[in-house]
């Protein structure tokens, strides 16, 4: 425990002298127990720090101590704390540039960047004087400064390269971009990781986080096969002692699987308290439009809160596809009167469905490859392929 400021500074000096990045990261972390020590709340620590520490670690520690000071005030001044944490990150960028051919300092970068993001989120929640997302966007710019230094480190040997720190930063940036709804900014980061020689050797926890976010982005881009691959990887490798994280992954993986024609088992949904998807899958399997609409309405808050409401609404076309497949199996002919489909739609709750709207739904299903066939307008019929007219969803999504 750091009883005094000099004790803390001496500990930092010792860790700096032996290149102990992990210990240094703890000593500049806002989650470490030293932040509770009132003796460290110093508004102007420069003189004390300069007597014990050398550049570039002195600037990092000064900024850290100022953050502690502004977080100790009543009420806490999160804005000034955030600004000094930004200076802390900028000082880390200088350190990374000065320590060429070395990467022992990466844990320090991870810690100060994480603290910056968390402080930025606090400012967003508590400060109304900024535009929504403004502070988080500034935080992302700071993190990008670190990312550029790491990505440009091509001279070092693989064991000492700062490129090993890229994925940690990318995950931090993903968390910001998803929160401020700027997913297009993820594309260059994904390209950078995909082209990295270390993409399969980054620490597994970082890979899991990365796959989770890239899977979510693919889902929003309607690339369900990629989303399935990445989210499935995240779920498979997420440790069992993190059930909350597994639940988060499943909230996105389950609807993706539904788009590909795979319906979830009830016991899995029960295990992770997401039974809302069970009612949804039953409606999909039955092709029951009325039941589907009821489920959406009943669980509307859950789907909106999870950010998947619009995605789940798109599943309605699979309900239509499954309903029309039932009509085909009953009629047992490849020339189907469109009035039969309208009657089926009216039977399952679409009371006001017109023949033109029925044409439109079927045309969309044909366009998406969910039905193989064409509409004969002159005969008011859907002519479907004699071979596999309703292809498996995992072959067309």
């Amino acid at each position: 425990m750091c009883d005094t400021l000099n004790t803390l500074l001496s500990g930092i000096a010792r860790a700096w002298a032996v290149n102990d990045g992990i210990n240094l990261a703890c000593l500049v972390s806002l989650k470490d127990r030293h932040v509770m020590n009132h003796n460290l709340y110093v508004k102007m620590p420069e003189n004390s720090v300069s007597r014990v520490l050398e550049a570039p670690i002195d600037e990092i520690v000064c900024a850290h101590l100022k953050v502690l000071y502004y977080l100790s005030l009543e009420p806490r001044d999160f804005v000034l704390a955030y600004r000094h944490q930004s200076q802390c990150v900028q000082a880390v960028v200088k350190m990374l540039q000065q320590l060429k051919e070395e990467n022992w300092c990466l844990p320090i970068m991870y810690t100060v960047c994480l603290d910056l993001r968390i402080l930025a989120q606090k400012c967003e929640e508590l400060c109304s004087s900024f535009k929504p997302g403004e502070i988080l966007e500034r935080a992302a710019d700071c993190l990008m400064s670190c990312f550029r230094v790491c990505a440009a480190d091509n001279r070092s040997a693989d064991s000492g390269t700062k490129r090993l720190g890229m994925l940690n930063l990318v995950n931090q940036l993903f968390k910001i971009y998803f929160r401020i709804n700027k997913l297009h900014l993820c594309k260059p980061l994904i390209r950078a990781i995909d082209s990295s020689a270390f993409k399969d050797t980054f620490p597994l926890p970082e890979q899991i986080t990365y796959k989770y976010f890239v899977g979510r982005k693919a889902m929003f881009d309607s690339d369900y096969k990629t989303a399935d691959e990445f989210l499935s990887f995240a779920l498979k490798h997420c440790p069992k002692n993190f059930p909350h994280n597994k639940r988060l992954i499943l909230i996105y993986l389950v609807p993706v699987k539904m788009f590909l024609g795979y319906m979830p088992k009830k016991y899995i949904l029960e295990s992770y308290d997401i039974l809302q998807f069970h009612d949804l899958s039953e409606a999909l399997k039955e092709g029951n439009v009325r039941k589907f609409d009821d489920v959406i309405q009943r669980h509307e808050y859950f789907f909106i809160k999870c950010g998947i409401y619009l995605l789940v609404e798109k599943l309605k076309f699979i309900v239509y596809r499954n309903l029309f497949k039932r009509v085909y199996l009953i009629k047992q002919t490849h020339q189907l009167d469109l009035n039969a489909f309208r009657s089926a739609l009216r039977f399952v709750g679409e009371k006001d469905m017109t023949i033109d709207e029925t044409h439109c739904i079927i045309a969309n299903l044909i366009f998406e490859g969910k039905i193989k066939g064409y509409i004969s307008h002159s005969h008011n019929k859907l002519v479907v392929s004699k071979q596999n007219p309703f292809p498996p969803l995992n072959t067309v999504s």
Side-chain angles (χ1 to χ4, degrees):
M1 182 72 179
C2 303
D3 296 325
T4 65
L5 178 57
N6 279 334
T7 307
L8 174 72
L9 297 176
S10 299
I12 291 172
R14 285 193 298 272
W16 178 259
V18 295
N19 298 348
D20 186 352
I22 293 174
N23 194 25
L24 278 168
C26 291
L27 294 172
V28 294
S29 169
L30 296 180
K31 294 182 178 179
D32 189 69
R33 60 181 182 173
H34 76 268
V35 303
M36 305 302 292
N37 187 344
H38 291 247
N39 296 325
L40 305 180
Y41 303 156
V42 184
K43 187 176 183 180
M44 303 289 285
E46 286 84 357
N47 290 337
S48 300
V49 171
S50 62
R51 283 197 294 268
V52 182
L53 301 178
E54 60 183 27
I57 190 65
D58 59 339
E59 197 175 338
I60 296 170
V61 174
C62 275
H64 173 66
L65 291 171
K66 289 179 181 180
V67 173
L68 297 188
Y69 172 77
Y70 286 107
L71 290 179
S72 71
L73 300 178
E74 286 295 339
R76 292 179 174 185
D77 193 333
F78 283 104
V79 173
L80 280 176
Y82 162 78
R83 286 176 184 164
H84 286 291
Q85 189 67 27
S86 297
Q87 291 174 9
C88 189
V89 173
Q90 288 159 10
V92 166
V93 172
K94 291 180 188 176
M95 177 189 69
L96 294 171
Q97 291 168 334
Q98 288 180 33
L99 296 177
K100 296 179 173 67
E101 314 291 329
E102 299 176 63
N103 67 1
W104 61 266
C105 53
L106 287 177
I108 305 170
M109 179 188 75
Y110 300 154
T111 297
V112 298
C113 288
L114 172 63
D115 287 342
L116 179 70
R117 179 178 65 80
I118 292 170
L119 276 175
Q121 286 174 196
K122 276 287 183 187
C123 290
E124 291 280 350
E125 291 166 13
L126 302 174
C127 305
S128 57
S129 54
F130 297 92
K131 295 176 185 175
E134 182 183 349
I135 299 178
L136 278 168
E137 205 161 345
R138 288 184 198 169
D141 291 339
C142 277
L143 300 191
M144 278 302 298
S145 301
C146 290
F147 178 79
R148 290 187 194 99
V149 175
C150 292
D153 186 23
N154 293 318
R155 296 167 298 175
S156 305
D158 285 356
S159 59
T161 181
K162 296 180 182 71
R163 284 175 291 160
L164 292 170
M166 288 168 61
L167 191 57
N168 182 286
L169 290 171
V170 165
N171 288 337
Q172 294 292 341
L173 287 162
F174 279 169
K175 288 174 183 178
I176 291 175
Y177 294 150
F178 271 77
R179 185 175 278 262
I180 63 176
N181 199 25
K182 292 200 172 182
L183 303 194
H184 64 283
L185 296 174
C186 297
K187 284 184 180 180
L189 300 176
I190 294 170
R191 282 198 300 270
I193 297 302
D194 285 348
S195 61
S196 169
F198 306 102
K199 70 175 182 178
D200 296 321
T201 56
F202 285 113
L204 185 59
E206 291 180 9
Q207 288 191 54
I208 292 168
T209 304
Y210 175 76
K211 299 277 187 181
Y212 166 72
F213 281 108
V214 177
R216 281 180 63 188
K217 185 181 182 304
M219 177 189 78
F220 291 126
D221 292 339
S222 300
D223 183 357
Y224 301 121
K225 288 181 180 176
T226 300
D228 179 30
E229 178 191 344
F230 280 67
L231 290 169
S232 294
F233 177 98
L235 182 68
K236 179 181 177 183
H237 293 92
C238 183
K240 289 181 180 178
N241 56 330
F242 289 93
H244 174 72
N245 290 358
K246 281 185 171 284
R247 182 177 185 270
L248 284 177
I249 297 166
L250 280 167
I251 283 171
Y252 301 102
L253 181 58
V254 169
V256 164
K257 287 284 191 186
M258 288 179 172
F259 274 107
L260 298 173
Y262 303 108
M263 298 301 142
K265 303 288 185 187
K266 186 177 181 180
Y267 75 91
I268 294 175
L269 301 178
E270 242 170 353
S271 302
Y272 292 96
D273 190 27
I274 46 173
L275 272 173
Q276 295 89 339
F277 290 113
H278 175 68
D279 298 338
L280 201 62
S281 67
E282 291 297 303
L284 257 68
K285 285 187 279 189
E286 295 168 15
N288 191 327
V289 180
R290 184 193 294 112
K291 188 173 183 179
F292 178 85
D293 289 340
D294 287 346
V295 171
I296 293 285
Q297 190 173 0
R298 192 162 67 251
H299 301 303
E300 181 181 44
Y301 176 76
F302 170 78
F303 295 133
I304 291 173
K305 184 183 174 185
C306 296
I308 56 172
Y309 182 81
L310 294 177
L311 180 82
V312 168
E313 279 231 308
K314 288 183 184 178
L315 287 167
K316 193 165 189 175
F317 272 94
I318 295 176
V319 182
Y320 289 139
R321 178 255 187 204
N322 291 346
L323 175 65
F324 295 165
K325 185 178 180 181
R326 288 189 164 212
V327 173
Y328 163 75
L329 292 172
I330 291 167
K331 295 289 186 180
Q332 287 293 310
T333 175
H334 69 282
Q335 294 185 4
L336 297 149
D337 192 320
L338 288 169
N339 284 311
F341 295 114
R342 182 175 63 166
S343 298
L345 286 166
R346 286 180 169 178
F347 179 74
V348 292
E350 302 279 20
K351 298 293 185 185
D352 300 322
M353 183 65 64
T354 66
I355 194 66
D356 288 338
E357 288 170 328
T358 306
H359 277 228
C360 188
I361 292 168
I362 291 172
N364 272 300
L365 289 170
I366 292 170
F367 174 76
E368 291 178 1
K370 292 181 173 66
I371 296 177
K372 287 165 68 175
Y374 63 91
I375 296 173
S376 171
H377 291 283
S378 57
H379 296 96
N380 198 41
K381 288 185 183 293
L382 169 65
V383 182
V384 295
S385 170
K386 291 182 179 178
Q387 292 184 337
N388 205 12
F390 292 84
L393 291 169
N394 63 344
T395 65
V396 297
S397 293

